[in-house]
Amino acid sequence: MSRRVTLADVSQAAGVGIATVSRALGDHPDVSESTRERVREIAARLGYRPSVAARALRTGGFHAISAIVPDAGWGWWEPVMRAAHATATARGYQLLVHPVDAEGGLTATVDGLANIPTEGVIVVSVPDQDAVRAACDRIGLPAVAIDDTSRATRFPTISAANRDGARLVVEHLIAQGRRSIALAHGFLGGASPEWGDGLFLEERALGYRDALESAGIAVDERLIIDVADPFDETVTTFPQIDALLADGPPIDAIFCAADLMAAPVLRSLRASGRAVPDDVAVAGFDDERAALLVDPQLTTVRQPYEQMGATAVDMLLQTIAGEQVPEHRTEIAPKLVVRASTS
């Protein structure tokens, strides 16, 4: 059986973007008559046959954008997508959510968008922006990214202001009278490609240093602990934290660079006989569900999930409309959420 001709095939033969092909075949008024006729002639020559479902969606005035999300257990992107969905709906668009294809990966998932009626894509946590940029260019699909894992930016990109957020939470610990504050920091070591080059961890470590230096507290390098597999939910405790509590300098607070690291840290503190927060305060970053499930509940920095989702949709629709949106990172301020682990 011969391969079905796709919108991407027609787009390539016609030398126009896939969104233009879709609008031309759907008699969209913003496509000139000459372009519509040329696209239809090429589609007929190639044997393109739109699906019944796609044709029904187009004739019903259907407009859609897509979001590609990580196919992983860490669900920080869920509130982002809820906000993106609400914003897209208010602008007359449906939001289609696609987990990353386990077989072909991120670029295969982007390539697959050529076969559905979508006008643009939001890509969440992009470890290899060059490959995804190339995939989007192949099918003429506008894209923006929600990502704080990689230094490289090949799309308009939205993220939390990680450095500012870390400084905010460490300043809170200092205001509580804590002076010997450890940093539980993740060491990715190239073993976790889904986290890119770990930009967010580096920025949070810089914010930790900023807060201490501004308060006149010397940074003790012995208190910066790189733990392996920081996002492995099966880890009971981090050996590096156990060693710090057994033989290291005395501490009165621990800042965890991500909320998921807090549960092993709290278990280590409990096993060592330290009470939280009386002996050692603990704080995190992200305000995921994990922050509410630990005991005591975790003081943390909440990522601006709602603003990131809404901003991504707004940027993408501007790009679809033909506006020039710069390919740089837009950082949105997070906020401190104080709970029982520090107060």
Side-chain angles (χ1 to χ4, degrees):
M1 181 180 293
S2 61
R3 184 177 69 86
R4 184 172 71 87
V5 178
T6 68
L7 282 176
D9 298 323
V10 180
S11 171
Q12 183 175 9
V16 297
I18 193 169
T20 300
V21 171
S22 178
R23 290 194 290 267
L25 294 176
D27 290 328
H28 200 285
D30 69 353
V31 180
S32 69
E33 181 61 31
S34 62
T35 299
R36 286 202 296 270
E37 291 179 359
R38 184 164 62 88
V39 168
R40 288 172 186 159
E41 185 276 326
I42 292 172
R45 174 163 50 83
L46 294 177
Y48 172 73
R49 294 178 180 274
S51 69
V52 173
R55 186 165 57 246
L57 291 173
R58 282 197 299 272
T59 57
F62 181 86
H63 294 284
I65 56 177
S66 290
I68 296 176
V69 299
D71 187 14
W74 196 34
W76 65 269
W77 46 266
E78 293 175 9
V80 176
M81 288 299 99
R82 285 196 293 270
H85 177 269
T87 303
T89 299
R91 301 285 293 275
Y93 279 77
Q94 295 292 321
L95 177 67
L96 312 175
V97 178
H98 313 264
V100 171
D101 187 318
E103 294 295 326
L106 191 56
T107 55
T109 304
V110 175
D111 285 335
L113 298 181
N115 299 313
I116 64 174
T118 190
E119 298 180 39
V121 60
I122 299 168
V123 192
V124 180
S125 283
V126 181
D128 183 357
Q129 292 208 7
D130 287 329
V132 179
R133 173 80 269 172
C136 289
D137 289 344
R138 279 196 300 273
I139 60 176
L141 198 63
V144 301
I146 298 175
D147 178 71
D148 62 1
T149 66
S150 303
R151 289 170 178 79
T153 55
R154 299 293 182 267
F155 309 96
T157 301
I158 301 100
S159 71
N162 285 291
R163 185 169 182 168
D164 292 345
R167 176 170 180 156
L168 192 66
V169 71
V170 176
E171 286 176 343
H172 163 72
L173 293 171
I174 294 170
Q176 295 284 312
R178 314 293 172 159
R179 290 296 180 271
S180 185
I181 303 171
L183 168 63
H185 187 257
F187 174 69
L188 301 180
S192 301
E194 65 269 28
W195 304 117
D197 53 26
L199 175 64
F200 67 108
L201 290 174
E202 179 180 310
E203 291 290 309
R204 294 174 190 184
L206 290 172
Y208 162 84
R209 291 176 179 274
D210 291 343
L212 293 179
E213 290 169 359
S214 293
I217 301 172
V219 176
D220 187 340
E221 300 295 338
R222 297 173 299 170
L223 301 184
I224 299 177
I225 309 300
D226 282 327
V227 302
D229 299 319
F231 308 123
D232 183 352
E233 296 181 11
T234 68
V235 170
T236 302
T237 64
F238 297 123
Q240 300 90 338
I241 297 296
D242 292 333
L244 172 67
L245 296 175
D247 303 315
I251 60 170
D252 55 18
I254 300 178
F255 167 44
C256 300
D259 290 348
L260 279 177
M261 302 170 67
V265 167
L266 288 169
R267 285 191 284 267
S268 290
L269 287 168
R270 188 165 290 129
S272 70
R274 271 94 156 177
V276 177
D278 293 344
D279 299 324
V280 179
V282 178
F285 198 117
D286 290 324
D287 200 24
E288 291 192 75
R289 289 185 67 245
L292 295 174
L293 297 178
V294 295
D295 182 23
Q297 291 184 328
L298 191 66
T299 290
T300 187
V301 176
R302 180 173 177 80
Q303 290 208 49
Y305 299 118
E306 294 77 15
Q307 297 98 314
M308 288 194 295
T311 301
V313 170
D314 287 340
M315 282 186 175
L316 183 58
L317 295 185
Q318 289 170 20
T319 303
I320 291 170
E323 298 181 31
Q324 294 297 316
V325 180
E327 292 181 359
H328 65 64
R329 188 183 309 277
T330 298
E331 292 189 343
I332 302 176
K335 67 177 182 179
L336 179 69
V337 179
V338 178
R339 298 192 180 101
S341 69
T342 64
S343 60

